[in-house]
Amino acid sequence: MTRTRCDSYYAASIVEESDYPRLEGEHRVDVAIVGGGFTGVATAVELAERGYRVAVVEARKIGWGASGRNGGQVTGSLSGQDAMAKQMPRTLGDAAGEFVWNLRWRGHRIIRERVEKYAIPCDLKHGHLQAAYKPGHLMALRKDFEESQRHAIGEHVHWLDAGAVRRVVGTELYHGAIRNDYNMHLHPLNLCLGEARAAVSMGAEIFEHSPVARIEHGERPAVIGEHGRVTADSVILAGNAYHRLERRTLGGRLFPAALGIVTTAPLSAELAAEIDPDDLAVYDTRFVLDYYRLTADRRLLFGGGANYSGRDSHDIGAELRPRLEHTFPQLAGIDIDFQWQGMAGIVINRIPQLGKLSDNVYYAQGYSGHGIATSHIVGEIIANAVAGSLEEFDAFANVKHLRIPFNDRLGNSLLAAGMWYYQLLERLR
Ligand SMILES: Cc1cc2nc3c(=O)[nH]c(=O)nc-3n(C[C@H](O)[C@H](O)[C@H](O)COP(=O)(O)OP(=O)(O)OC[C@H]3O[C@@H](n4cnc5c(N)ncnc54)[C@H](O)[C@@H]3O)c2cc1C
């Protein structure tokens, strides 16, 4: 049997594997979507719910990319929120501040309602900690906490001092934290597969193992595969960091970063209760952060660091073990059962990139490592745009993005240098 997914904990704990046909022959739909990650699948659900005929064309398997490999943390950390607050008034005027704040939480509602409506088994749990890694990080964290108290979300958000943090996470590392019980964590691959089933139950077509070679633009655009094509009224390109389509417009805008994750052997009930008694997902306040949580079968799923070279890392386990054991010395020497990596799409100003490649061909990409909630928001925004309501879409499409006019490898080297600079600044804080 050919290996169709990376050897992740998620792939090993799929509830219902997908098995959709290859794209063959001619198909005609209202909207054709390239890419079967959260962006593609969440948009397909939105559109199918509104009665559109949709086809999703995926190069490998549903959830094969970042969506089926990530940390599973659904948080209000929209990437680029400060940059958005500066740029969006251009389109939204005074409403921009409230728009950006609400964006941070809108994806949570979509995911929660969808999991309930379509009974998707994805181990969804509430509870998250953002923990201050250095005393110098406390002030910004406290500011974020105070902002939360001025909004309805405030009742779910609590400030923990260093002593209180130690009662909910078994490490001495942190100097304070925000506990947010509105945030969630879940099994992202099972969510993505469940959403794909929901789309199909409403008439959507899905094709797997069907790489799209090119998009044909025109009054009736089409996505062209090796053995078939889908003609549509609109096309949405949702390939994120994994595709090479439309380089003339999209080249130099998005940079792939390889992020690694490990999963330990299952912990005893006592050890799990010692390190994470409230079953919270956790990440720290660094620019390139560590993030972790317990899985449903009590493994520690731990991610951290990033490789901006655009190439794969060699030994994720060896890279992450020291970080894991530094956080939890009580886990020294624990077996690592799974290790894998995935490509996230990094944007220089960290604002998600939404735009049009021609009148009826849209693209959405670049959530800079915070894409579970964001991709679901984007699905809603693009479905609204296809239906003719463009205001929110335009708020993103009108954002100015820096384009690095070099090939991707050189672009990634520049990005790596930039990230190194930010991390250096952070060390000085
Ligand atoms: C290791 C890791 C940890 C992360 N942790 C978190 C986290 O805890 N919380 C969070 O919010 N975000 C996290 N993220 C980010 C999040 O996973 C992504 O932002 C999100 O999944 C992006 O979804 P997407 O659908 O846009 O892209 P992807 O999921 O990458 O999907 C793109 C799909 O397009 C397909 N494709 C590409 N080219 C073609 C083509 N030519 N034809 C057809 N199909 C094509 C690919 O095969 C792929 O399936 C993490 C990312 C990584 C890599």
Side-chain angles (χ1 to χ4, degrees):
M1 203 175 82
T2 51
R3 207 162 62 86
T4 51
R5 296 193 184 275
C6 70
D7 289 325
S8 69
Y9 160 76
Y10 296 127
S13 51
I14 287 176
V15 172
E16 192 177 336
E17 178 58 290
S18 59
D19 186 17
Y20 298 109
R22 280 172 209 270
L23 172 62
E24 285 176 3
E26 302 272 334
H27 298 256
R28 175 72 173 91
V29 294
D30 300 321
V31 184
I33 298 173
V34 182
F38 280 134
T39 303
V41 171
T43 309
V45 174
E46 287 287 343
L47 288 164
E49 281 179 340
R50 298 170 198 208
Y52 287 88
R53 287 175 305 153
V54 184
V56 177
V57 186
E58 162 55 46
R60 317 289 281 262
K61 300 280 290 173
I62 290 296
W64 180 87
S67 301
R69 306 175 185 222
N70 61 53
Q73 302 201 7
V74 183
T75 70
S77 297
L78 189 63
S79 77
Q81 61 212 32
D82 295 339
M84 275 188 238
K86 283 197 195 110
Q87 290 225 28
M88 291 204 163
R90 202 177 316 137
T91 310
L92 298 175
D94 291 344
E98 204 55 23
F99 173 72
V100 173
W101 173 262
N102 288 330
L103 272 183
R104 291 177 62 175
W105 314 106
R106 185 165 151 185
H108 296 55
R109 172 188 52 76
I110 299 169
I111 292 170
R112 237 187 8 250
E113 288 177 3
R114 199 162 287 169
V115 166
E116 205 179 301
K117 181 170 174 189
Y118 299 106
I120 300 173
C122 62
D123 307 329
L124 190 154
K125 288 185 181 144
H126 282 268
H128 183 266
L129 212 64
Q130 186 179 9
Y133 195 79
K134 295 177 81 176
H137 296 177
L138 280 170
M139 212 203 303
L141 199 59
R142 183 79 203 177
K143 214 170 124 217
D144 208 23
F145 168 72
E146 279 159 11
E147 186 174 12
S148 73
Q149 299 307 298
R150 291 193 285 275
H151 292 83
I153 184 94
E155 62 180 297
H156 303 286
V157 184
H158 308 279
W159 180 258
L160 307 188
D161 62 21
V165 177
R166 267 173 225 132
R167 285 195 285 281
V168 290
V169 55
T171 174
E172 303 285 314
L173 272 187
Y174 306 125
H175 301 271
I178 294 177
R179 176 174 176 153
N180 183 322
D181 290 321
Y182 194 76
N183 284 339
M184 306 182 286
H185 58 100
L186 46 72
H187 188 305
L189 182 52
N190 279 331
L191 173 62
C192 198
L193 289 165
E195 289 187 275
R197 287 194 298 277
V200 168
S201 75
M202 290 179 282
E205 291 177 274
I206 295 182
F207 302 101
E208 292 185 320
H209 301 296
S210 305
V212 169
R214 67 192 167 84
I215 296 171
E216 212 170 78
H217 295 263
E219 199 181 327
R220 297 271 174 276
V223 302
I224 317 293
E226 203 185 337
H227 304 291
R229 62 186 277 145
V230 185
T231 308
D233 296 329
S234 309
V235 166
I236 297 161
L237 175 53
N240 203 36
Y242 283 98
H243 78 87
R244 307 282 310 155
L245 298 166
E246 302 284 332
R247 297 326 285 164
R248 233 167 54 159
T249 314
L250 296 182
R253 289 176 187 270
L254 182 79
F255 299 95
L259 310 182
I261 294 187
V262 294
T263 311
T264 66
L267 308 183
S268 66
E270 296 71 36
L271 204 46
E274 184 187 326
I275 67 168
D276 191 1
D278 291 356
D279 211 351
L280 304 174
V282 180
Y283 60 57
D284 67 53
T285 43
R286 282 173 295 176
F287 190 68
V288 178
L289 43 80
D290 286 347
Y291 49 99
Y292 52 87
R293 65 190 183 88
L294 293 175
T295 61
D297 59 354
R298 282 203 314 261
R299 301 165 185 276
L300 182 70
L301 186 146
F302 188 101
N307 167 358
Y308 296 106
S309 69
R311 293 183 292 271
D312 283 353
S313 298
H314 293 300
D315 188 346
I316 305 294
E319 283 174 25
L320 287 182
R321 181 182 283 284
R323 301 174 81 119
L324 187 157
E325 293 183 355
H326 178 60
T327 311
F328 296 115
Q330 57 275 56
L331 297 186
I334 187 142
D335 284 343
I336 287 177
D337 283 355
F338 300 95
Q339 50 177 295
W340 69 94
Q341 64 188 326
M343 288 291 175
I346 306 292
V347 178
I348 303 275
N349 65 8
R350 302 217 156 200
I351 302 180
Q353 295 177 340
L354 276 66
K356 283 190 179 187
L357 296 159
S358 55
D359 274 356
N360 43 17
V361 178
Y362 303 78
Y363 69 91
Q365 61 183 21
Y367 315 127
S368 302
H370 295 286
I372 305 179
T374 315
S375 54
H376 286 77
I377 301 165
V378 163
E380 200 172 70
I381 291 176
I382 295 205
N384 289 340
V386 167
S389 171
L390 280 150
E391 194 189 23
E392 294 185 340
F393 180 84
D394 284 344
F396 281 96
N398 291 340
V399 162
K400 287 197 171 39
H401 286 282
L402 195 68
R403 187 169 182 196
I404 300 186
F406 302 114
N407 66 35
D408 288 355
R409 180 148 298 179
L410 192 51
N412 267 85
S413 304
L414 289 175
L415 182 73
M419 294 300 163
W420 177 83
Y421 171 72
Y422 275 114
Q423 287 174 70
L424 187 69
L425 286 187
E426 188 174 72
R427 281 206 192 116
L428 301 174
R429 269 204 286 161

